[in-house]
Amino acid sequence: MDEPALTVDGLVENPSRLAFADLAALPAGHQVEDVSRFHPKRKGDGVALDAILDRVRPRPEANYLTLHADRDDFHVSIPLQAIRAEAIVVYRLGGRPLGPAECGPFRFLIRDPSACHTSELDDCANVKYLSRIELTHRRGRDTRPQTDEQHAALHQNES
Ligand SMILES: Nc1nc2c(c(=O)[nH]1)N[C@H]1C(S)=C(S)[C@@H](COP(=O)(O)O)O[C@H]1N2
Ligand SMILES: [Mo]
């Protein structure tokens, strides 16, 4: 089986597929040890979204960043300028890749999210099972729940 890799594509100069070793090789200054400092309930180490964007080089016309989780068909689209300095991609726990039980192989985390469905940068945008980051000119697909009922239904499906 192929090693899991995070696809980063769309309006970028250097579309990439980043596996565990590629993320670990991003600059040390962008590595984020122990994300439980930001979210007591969440574990592991990550790398700043900025380091990934430096690597793929968004084109000037890229306005939105869309996060895709193919595993459960969940998608979130956020203005690039709002998110670029605020997020981490978690990819490691105890020196190993994240498994599905840890919402891996990759998990998106906003450093300081607002409550569910209160802003672009809310808790709902902390995408689990992240498979692809796509840069686009217009807003992309966004399946975040909009109401308390939709939230309840979504969390019911979670194992
Ligand atoms: N792939 C995927 N990511 C997801 C969701 C989902 O259903 N699928 N739910 C979102 C919502 S609505 C919230 S509030 C948070 C919850 O994260 P937690 O379970 O770590 O608290 O995950 C977000 N990320
Ligand atoms: Mo949410």
Side-chain angles (χ1 to χ4, degrees), residues 41-42 69 72 74 103 107 116 123-129 145 151 154-155 158:
K41 282 182 4 198
R42 292 169 191 152
D72 64 350
F74 188 80
C103 307
R107 176 156 199 194
C116 291
D123 207 21
C124 312
N126 285 325
V127 175
K128 308 169 185 182
Y129 325 114
H151 254 97
L154 182 69
H155 291 301
E158 284 176 349

